[in-house]
């Protein structure tokens, strides 16, 4: 599963400094745990607020350390590092929650709207990892039932390989509309 591998890779990225990561993965199972029996939207709100608060506190501490270093006249490199963290560009993205498996239904989407999830973020992006599937199907009725002989002199029914594009679920269009109207 490509999504599971992507989330696992994001989780392994900078485990020593999880607040330093900009891409924070969260899947449906984690939302269930954070929701504590409520709608998954509550779990998503808790995750967003927790991650946002941690980053805000980190910037506040960096600004405080910078001010203390100025007053005490400490090492210029330490002062520079603290200033860089405290004075990040205002347009820089602090946090990107990479949500997998949510919302998966119209009910999930309605819960997210009711919880005000779409008002939390400055930007929404929905990515659908599409693909193609290949499988064998019986040949259409005109040839169905005819038998062919294979190299092994075994007899089998005619089959053909069929390739189909995986269609995105309808919830993606609804999600896009909800995010666009927020």
């Amino acid at each position: 599963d490509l999504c599971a591998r992507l989330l696992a890779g994001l989780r392994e990225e900078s485990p020593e400094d999880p607040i330093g990561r900009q891409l924070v993965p969260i899947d449906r199972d984690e939302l269930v745990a954070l929701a504590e029996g409520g709608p998954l939207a509550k779990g998503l709100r808790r995750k967003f607020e927790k991650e946002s608060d941690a980053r805000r506190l980190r910037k506040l501490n960096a600004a405080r350390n910078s001010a203390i270093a100025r007053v005490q006249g400490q090492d210029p490199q330490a002062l520079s590092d603290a200033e860089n963290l405290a004075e990040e560009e205002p347009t820089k993205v602090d946090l990107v929650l990479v949500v997998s498996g949510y919302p998966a239904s119209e009910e999930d989407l309605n819960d997210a709207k009711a919880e005000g999830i779409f008002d939390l973020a400055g930007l929404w992006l929905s990515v659908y990892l599409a693909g193609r599937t290949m499988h064998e199907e019986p040949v259409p009725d005109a040839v169905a039932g005819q038998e062919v002989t294979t190299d092994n002199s075994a007899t089998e029914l005619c089959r053909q390989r069929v390739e189909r594009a995986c269609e995105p679920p309808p919830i993606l269009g609804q999600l896009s509309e909800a995010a666009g109207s927020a």
Side-chain angles (χ1 to χ4, degrees), residues 87 158 173:
E87 299 171 5
C158 290

Side-chain angles (χ1 to χ4, degrees), residues 106-176:
E106 197 168 334
E107 180 184 352
D108 286 346
L109 185 60
N110 290 336
D111 287 345
K113 287 178 186 176
E115 186 66 30
I117 294 298
F118 296 104
D119 298 328
L120 293 177
L123 175 69
W124 280 89
L125 173 67
S126 178
V127 177
Y128 174 68
L129 300 176
R132 297 183 102 44
T133 183
M134 180 78 83
H135 63 280
E136 288 189 358
E137 286 184 356
V139 176
D141 291 343
V143 204
Q146 293 182 8
E147 296 180 349
V148 293
T149 304
T150 63
D151 295 343
N152 305 350
S153 297
T155 304
E156 58 185 49
L157 287 175
C158 290
R159 300 186 73 71
Q160 67 180 358
R161 287 195 146 181
V162 178
E163 183 177 342
R164 290 206 174 100
C166 300
E167 295 294 323
I171 192 70
L172 286 182
Q174 297 169 351
L175 177 61
S176 177

Side-chain angles (χ1 to χ4, degrees), residues 29-47:
D29 293 338
E30 189 174 350
L31 290 177
V32 168
L34 289 168
E36 298 175 345
L40 298 182
K42 286 198 183 298
L44 184 56
R45 176 180 280 283
R46 283 186 182 128
K47 180 70 170 183

Side-chain angles (χ1 to χ4, degrees), residues 11-22:
R11 283 191 177 99
E12 291 171 5
E13 185 180 279
S14 27
E16 66 282 349
D17 186 14
I19 297 172
R21 295 187 301 199
Q22 288 178 306

